[in-house]
């Protein structure tokens, strides 16, 4: 996790509000596996019913405006290959999870019902959605060969994502 990244900081505050066991990973140093640099995870999150989540937080601005708005959900090939390597290393009860942290804006007034109850941190409102990394890999499409980015079309993303509040419910709102 990067302490300078407000999405990572907000997600950590969310985990604390949910009273969930987690470890924030120091991203300043990349891990090395058999002489290969491996992209770091952001968090290891323990959930009683889901095992350990290997989390990579993807911060995005929520695109406001009408039913045709686009859910930005791109990632990099490196994000997904790193997550697959970590999942193999951790084994059994672990699962890679891309957490899309949507910044709803500092003073979002109308929050679409599909976002659920926003999590407020430092005056900003956030919505957190997860997509299992293996499902994302199965359905991803190339967004930019040059930048090595991938994405899911919005209808498919809506089908695969789930609000984190389905598994983690904050006991308080942190501001």
């Amino acid at each position: 996790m990067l302490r300078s990244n407000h999405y990572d900081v907000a997600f950590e505050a969310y985990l604390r509000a949910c009273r969930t066991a987690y470890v924030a990973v120091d991203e300043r140093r990349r891990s090395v596996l058999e002489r290969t640099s491996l992209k770091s995870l952001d968090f290891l999150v323990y959930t009683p019913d889901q095992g350990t989540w290997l989390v990579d937080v993807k911060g995005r601005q929520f695109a406001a405006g009408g039913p045709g708005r686009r859910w930005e959900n791109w990632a990099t090939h490196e994000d997904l290959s790193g997550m697959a390597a970590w999942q193999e290393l951790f084994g059994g009860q672990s699962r890679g999870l891309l957490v899309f942290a949507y910044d709803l804006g500092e003073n979002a007034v109308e929050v679409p019902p599909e976002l659920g109850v926003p999590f407020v941190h430092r005056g900003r409102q956030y919505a957190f959605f997860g997509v299992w990394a293996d499902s994302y890999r199965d359905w991803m499409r190339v967004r930019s060969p040059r930048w090595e980015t991938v994405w899911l079309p919005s209808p498919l993303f809506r089908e695969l994502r789930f609000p984190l509040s389905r598994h983690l419910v904050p006991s308080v709102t942190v501001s």
Side-chain angles (χ1 to χ4, degrees), residues 126-172:
Y126 296 88
F128 300 107
F129 286 89
V131 176
W132 298 115
D134 51 357
S135 296
Y136 193 101
R137 268 191 308 276
D138 288 346
W139 295 99
M140 68 186 185
R141 296 184 183 166
V142 174
R143 178 180 174 167
S144 169
R146 180 178 179 198
W147 296 101
E148 298 183 355
T149 55
V150 293
W151 69 293
L152 296 174
S154 291
L156 186 55
F157 180 68
R158 283 188 180 96
E159 184 179 323
L160 295 176
R161 73 174 188 210
F162 59 90
L164 290 191
S165 60
R166 181 181 298 163
H167 300 287
L168 305 174
V169 179
S171 56
V172 295

Side-chain angles (χ1 to χ4, degrees), residues 1-9:
M1 98 164 268
L2 296 172
R3 299 268 176 219
S4 60
N5 181 321
H6 71 95
Y7 295 102
D8 288 355
V9 172

Side-chain angles (χ1 to χ4, degrees), residues 81-160:
S81 62
M83 182 124 354
W86 284 115
Q87 190 168 314
E88 188 174 323
L89 282 169
F90 275 87
Q93 292 296 321
S94 67
R95 195 161 182 200
L97 181 67
L98 295 171
V99 170
F100 289 91
Y102 291 98
D103 178 354
L104 306 179
E106 290 186 29
N107 298 309
V109 178
E110 286 189 42
V111 177
E114 66 187 307
L115 294 177
V117 176
F119 180 75
V120 179
H121 181 68
R122 295 184 180 166
R124 290 180 181 260
Q125 296 184 68
Y126 296 88
F128 300 107
F129 286 89
V131 176
W132 298 115
D134 51 357
S135 296
Y136 193 101
R137 268 191 308 276
D138 288 346
W139 295 99
M140 68 186 185
R141 296 184 183 166
V142 174
R143 178 180 174 167
S144 169
R146 180 178 179 198
W147 296 101
E148 298 183 355
T149 55
V150 293
W151 69 293
L152 296 174
S154 291
L156 186 55
F157 180 68
R158 283 188 180 96
E159 184 179 323
L160 295 176

Side-chain angles (χ1 to χ4, degrees), residues 32-37:
V32 176
L33 175 66
E34 298 174 4
R35 298 187 202 151
T36 302
S37 178

Side-chain angles (χ1 to χ4, degrees), residues 1-2 8 25-30 39-42 56:
M1 98 164 268
L2 296 172
D8 288 355
V25 177
D26 182 357
E27 285 191 65
R28 292 177 295 179
R29 294 197 173 124
R30 289 177 69 104
K39 184 181 183 298
S40 295
L41 300 167
D42 293 320
D56 189 2

